[in-house]
């Protein structure tokens, strides 16, 4: 585990429903999550994310990884029998834009360890203040939106679910016990946290100036090499060495 040169804890910033910018709504099997996007602050990342939304690539995808007190991750796989999910088709990677801090209630892009400019379709919700780690690791992780405050309860429900450890990570499960996981029983579609679609519910553009934002002040701090921390307890960095290329680079799975 690499040591961070500094450990600054920044306050969480959950936006109010009055703020305006492009707002998208994740329609999940647990409940809906609205996210206000930073169109102006991270324009390349927002454009990249919305291209997947508009193409319908996130339809019938699964939340494939949850690390309690750390992240909820998705955007990579469509449901297929059991844990034999299909990777969604990805476009060219987007340039990293590590301008904002990975505080609680933000959404950011996942990427490959050692490659800051490798984000494609996968994203994660910060369910804790991960700024001291993720603002500096691997060139910093690009925060491109904020969850509307009252919808954090849905992420907390997902976080509290039991999890099955598999090749995709520790996957949250609905009505599927740890005993069923360990016995090798095959889960069905209804046992997963699924995203039926992501809707654009407010297409207001270039107005995120008024959104509450926490800047990434750690990005230029010195580090002890590439901080590929593989200890996910308490907010470690295994989130991103999990994105190892497999085959043609479409699959991103945890070891």
């Amino acid at each position: 585990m690499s040591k961070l040169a500094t450990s600054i804890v920044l306050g969480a910033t959950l936006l109010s429903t009055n703020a305006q910018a492009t707002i998208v709504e994740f329609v999940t099997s647990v409940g809906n999550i609205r996210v206000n996007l930073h169109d102006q602050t991270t324009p390349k990342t927002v454009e990249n994310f919305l291209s997947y939304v508009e193409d319908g690539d996130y339809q019938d995808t699964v939340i494939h990884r949850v690390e309690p007190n750390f992240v909820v991750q998705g955007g990579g796989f469509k449901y297929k029998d059991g844990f034999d999910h299909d990777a969604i088709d990805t476009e060219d990677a987007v340039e990293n834009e590590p301008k904002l801090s990975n505080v609680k209630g933000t959404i950011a892009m996942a990427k490959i360890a050692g490659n800051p400019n490798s984000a494609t379709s996968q994203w994660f919700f910060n369910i804790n203040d991960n700024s001291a780690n993720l603002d500096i690791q691997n060139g910093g992780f690009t925060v491109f939106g904020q969850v509307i405050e009252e919808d954090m309860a849905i992420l907390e429900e997902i976080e509290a679910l039991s999890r099955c450890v598999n090749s995709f990570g520790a996957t949250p499960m609905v009505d599927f016990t740890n005993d069923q996981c360990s016995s090798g029983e095959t889960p069905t579609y209804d046992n997963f946290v699924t995203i039926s679609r992501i809707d654009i519910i407010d297409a207001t553009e270039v107005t995120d100036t008024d959104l509450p934002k926490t800047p990434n002040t750690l990005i230029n701090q010195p580090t002890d090499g590439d901080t590929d921390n593989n200890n996910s307890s308490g907010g470690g960095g295994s989130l991103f060495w999990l994105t190892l290329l497999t085959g043609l680079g479409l699959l991103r799975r945890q070891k």
Side-chain angles (χ1 to χ4, degrees):
M1 181 188 301
S2 300
K3 296 180 180 179
L4 297 177
T6 183
S7 179
I8 298 174
V9 178
L10 301 177
T13 56
L14 300 182
L15 72 112
S16 71
T17 55
N18 295 324
Q20 287 185 318
T22 296
I23 301 175
V24 295
E25 185 170 42
F26 291 67
V27 181
T28 87
S29 55
V30 176
N32 294 359
I33 304 165
R34 291 164 296 168
V35 177
N36 214 327
L37 302 180
H38 292 298
D39 307 76
Q40 192 169 10
T41 308
T42 56
K44 295 176 182 178
T45 304
V46 170
E47 182 181 7
N48 173 75
F49 173 77
L50 289 178
S51 71
Y52 287 100
V53 171
E54 290 165 353
D55 288 345
D57 291 322
Y58 294 132
Q59 293 178 5
D60 294 320
T61 54
V62 298
I63 297 294
H64 65 270
R65 184 173 185 236
V66 167
E67 297 294 342
N69 299 312
F70 185 30
V71 298
V72 170
Q73 184 173 350
F77 306 98
K78 289 183 179 288
Y79 171 81
K80 192 177 177 182
D81 301 332
F83 291 103
D84 190 24
H85 305 317
D86 288 328
I88 71 173
D89 291 337
T90 56
E91 305 297 334
D92 292 339
V94 63
E95 182 180 346
N96 202 32
E97 297 176 297
K99 298 177 181 179
L100 301 174
S101 185
N102 284 266
V103 294
K104 182 178 179 180
T106 56
I107 185 172
M109 297 301 295
K111 54 188 176 179
I112 301 165
N115 188 347
N117 299 308
S118 58
T120 54
S121 67
Q122 286 196 45
W123 38 259
F124 61 93
F125 291 105
N126 285 298
I127 51 179
N128 202 349
D129 183 351
N130 298 317
S131 56
N133 185 358
L134 301 186
D135 283 6
I136 196 170
Q137 185 188 139
N138 195 10
F141 289 87
T142 298
V143 166
F144 64 96
Q146 301 172 2
V147 177
I148 290 177
E149 186 170 6
E150 54 263 39
D151 295 349
M152 283 297 294
I154 303 302
L155 288 172
E156 291 167 357
E157 285 188 48
I158 296 172
E159 178 190 20
L161 293 170
S162 61
R163 298 178 298 152
C164 279
V165 176
N166 57 87
S167 61
F168 293 91
T171 301
M173 307 300 295
V174 178
D175 297 327
F176 200 79
T177 67
N178 288 327
D179 287 341
Q180 288 173 291
C181 288
S182 58
S183 68
E185 185 174 334
T186 302
T188 66
Y189 179 85
D190 290 338
N191 296 128
F192 291 90
V193 177
T194 54
I195 298 171
S196 59
R197 65 186 188 276
I198 299 177
D199 295 329
I200 299 173
I201 60 175
D202 185 340
T204 305
E205 297 179 352
V206 196
T207 56
D208 86 324
T209 304
D210 295 331
L211 294 182
K213 295 187 283 286
T214 302
N216 181 350
T217 61
L218 302 182
I219 189 61
N220 294 319
Q221 297 293 324
T223 65
D224 295 334
D226 184 28
T227 55
D228 290 337
N229 173 356
N230 64 10
N231 179 4
S232 62
S233 61
S238 66
L239 170 64
F240 306 109
W241 64 262
L242 88 94
T243 54
L244 297 174
L245 289 178
T246 302
L248 296 177
L250 295 178
L251 300 184
R252 294 168 178 252
R253 301 184 178 184
Q254 183 178 31
K255 275 189 171 182

